[in-house]
Amino acid sequence: MSGQTQADSLDKLADDFWAWRAKYAPFTGDDVNRIERPGGLRDWSRAKIDNHRRDLSEFEARWKRLDATGWPIPKQVDHRLIGSALSRVHWELDVNPRWKRDPNFYIEQTLTPVVEALTVPAPYNETRSREILTRIENIPAILQQSEENLGDPPAPFATVAVQALDGVRDRLRKMATSLRPETTLNAKQLNDAADRAASALSSFCAMWHCCRTRPRNSWLWGARSGTGP
């Protein structure tokens, strides 16, 4: 493969990777990592995480097949930057896997998407209104998946999660009330979704509140035996 063809392949790899990354990258409260994302439901099930690993392996294989020797310096830099971006995904999945050890990760995956959707100035058209509703409705499912994923997180992580969710039901109700006139959604639709999200988040908070005061691993046993919160 010629150098120019390989450089073209790098561009294709970059396009494919960043489109994939926009769809599946974890949400974060850090503005530096904020990107435009396609709409729709998010999935943090074990099966989906395994799919992410397979996708990453395919991207890495494509990247390693590219020989940047002799490329123009800017293209060599691009090649290394894509390698760094791939390493970041590996870090998130397996080196520092917050998805299986930090309950705050799931607060970021549930509430941060809603916050990001609301950074666009109101009023919201039909498309944006539906996306806001989708993100609110997605909250219970993601928290259900967190129960499968989370192991035995350090107590400070649980403490921070409990503090972050203090008063979450009241906050979501106020959000729904303020948001309703700015969207195309009807009041019942929005309020019901917010109430379901608040119930799921409150249960999530209660679970980690109990975790802080129990011996390590005991909350897991209780949850699996039906005696947990």
Side-chain angles (χ1 to χ4, degrees), residues 49-172:
I49 292 169
D50 287 341
N51 286 344
H52 294 341
R53 287 195 179 100
R54 285 192 290 271
D55 291 342
L56 176 61
S57 294
E58 292 175 5
F59 284 127
E60 287 177 331
R62 290 172 61 183
W63 180 75
K64 289 176 181 178
R65 285 196 296 268
L66 297 173
D67 180 6
T69 305
W71 289 9
I73 296 301
K75 276 296 181 182
Q76 292 187 42
V77 172
D78 289 345
H79 180 260
R80 293 194 178 192
L81 288 173
I82 289 296
S84 178
L86 294 171
S87 295
R88 170 61 184 260
V89 179
H90 175 60
W91 171 270
E92 292 169 352
L93 289 175
D94 294 311
V95 179
N96 182 28
R98 294 182 62 224
W99 61 271
K100 65 178 180 180
R101 64 189 304 265
D102 185 356
N104 296 282
F105 177 83
Y106 292 96
I107 297 176
E108 293 172 1
Q109 305 320 305
T110 52
L111 292 179
T112 301
V114 179
V115 172
E116 285 198 12
L118 298 179
T119 58
V120 177
Y124 302 104
N125 61 22
E126 175 67 19
T127 299
R128 289 197 176 275
S129 295
R130 297 302 306 179
E131 179 60 20
I132 291 168
L133 182 64
T134 295
R135 294 186 180 195
I136 296 171
E137 290 180 331
N138 202 186
I139 289 174
I142 292 175
L143 294 178
Q144 183 68 37
Q145 290 160 356
S146 78
E147 294 183 16
E148 176 187 355
N149 295 339
L150 286 168
D152 190 12
F157 289 2
T159 297
V160 172
V162 170
Q163 292 171 345
L165 292 174
D166 182 46
V168 68
R169 184 179 295 277
D170 186 52
R171 284 185 280 160
L172 283 178

Side-chain angles (χ1 to χ4, degrees), residues 103 151-159 162 204-220 229:
D152 190 12
F157 289 2
T159 297
V162 170
F204 186 76
C205 179
M207 179 174 67
W208 295 110
H209 181 78
C210 291
C211 174
R212 294 186 304 167
T213 59
R214 293 183 182 179
R216 290 172 70 85
N217 289 321
S218 65
W219 78 271
L220 286 172

Side-chain angles (χ1 to χ4, degrees), residues 23 90 199:
K23 187 174 182 180
H90 175 60
S199 294

